[in-house]
Amino acid sequence: MVVKIKKNISVIIATLTVISFYISSCAYVPEDSLDAEKLYQAAIISYDSGDCVDVITKLDELLKLYPDDYRAPSSHYHLGKCWYKRDDFQTALDHFYKLIERWPLNSKTPDAHFYYGKCQYNLTVSPYDEAMKTFSEVIELYPEHTVVAGSMFYIGKLHYLNGNYRESVTQLESLLTSFPDSSYRKLSIYYLVKGYAKLGDCIKSYQYYETLLQDYPNSNYTLWALDKYNLY
């Protein structure tokens, strides 16, 4: 009986030793991962406070030291956003492109794809073919994502800038129908005022102006519409 108990105790001790080893192994975090996390978290704090210079410094270093780290997609996204805010659209585009190409299924990819189109718009002049193509791709690839409304707006705006006023108002009215509470609603109504004015449809133009005045009475877009088209 004593021998059996000693044997059982030995088995228990051996089992606990193995368990302890696996727990300690799972708890181990490589030093490189800790360094990358420190850089990333510090960069995000700076991003939230609007310090894009610090964000760029820290995330550039992170990507240089740990290019395959799991934080790389998000790092490229935030770098792209920071460069976009600084009006360096080419550098922003490069970061968004890397994210889209290397991590097509990442949660940041739809937004990156949308901003990629915005960069193309800011880097080119009419007829904005590449940007138009990108915004159409965004709508097709991410039909349930919030970037669809923004892409529809930019397609409508680019049609307006290209002089395709009928296509513009059709697109923008579709946006208002599909996404009535979109953050692009005010801008869409503004371009509908302008688009119908260009088409010579003063009644529709004025109707949208009245909507703009009623819903956004203190907006600069309302004042610009009134001044530009003499709508009284």
Side-chain angles (χ1 to χ4, degrees), residues 70-212:
Y70 75 88
R71 305 166 190 82
S74 184
S75 296
H76 280 296
Y77 175 75
H78 287 98
L79 280 167
K81 289 289 293 290
C82 277
W83 283 114
Y84 186 90
K85 290 177 181 178
R86 293 169 66 84
D87 293 339
D88 188 336
F89 302 114
Q90 184 59 58
T91 304
L93 182 145
D94 293 341
H95 281 290
F96 292 132
Y97 179 79
K98 288 175 183 176
L99 172 51
I100 296 165
E101 287 296 301
R102 287 195 62 187
W103 299 280
L105 301 180
N106 189 271
S107 62
K108 297 289 188 185
T109 301
D111 286 294
H113 210 148
F114 173 59
Y115 269 92
Y116 184 79
K118 291 177 70 173
C119 289
Q120 289 176 314
Y121 158 60
N122 282 286
L123 287 168
T124 57
V125 294
S126 183
Y128 307 103
D129 290 337
E130 291 301 315
M132 191 81 78
K133 179 182 176 182
T134 296
F135 290 126
S136 297
E137 288 175 352
V138 170
I139 294 171
E140 181 180 353
L141 290 171
Y142 322 107
E144 304 300 323
H145 200 279
T146 56
V147 292
V148 170
S151 297
M152 290 180 71
F153 166 74
Y154 272 95
I155 290 173
K157 177 180 179 178
L158 295 181
H159 274 311
Y160 177 87
L161 295 177
N162 287 335
N164 302 321
Y165 305 119
R166 180 58 61 188
E167 290 85 347
S168 175
V169 298
T170 299
Q171 179 73 14
L172 295 173
E173 287 180 328
S174 177
L175 166 59
L176 293 180
T177 300
S178 301
F179 304 96
D181 299 319
S182 165
S183 60
Y184 289 91
R185 183 175 184 273
K186 177 171 59 178
L187 279 169
S188 296
I189 296 172
Y190 173 67
Y191 274 97
L192 282 165
V193 173
K194 297 173 68 177
Y196 275 113
K198 290 290 188 181
L199 289 169
D201 191 336
C202 296
I203 294 176
K204 290 285 286 186
S205 180
Y206 187 73
Q207 286 174 344
Y208 277 113
Y209 170 73
E210 285 187 317
T211 300
L212 198 63

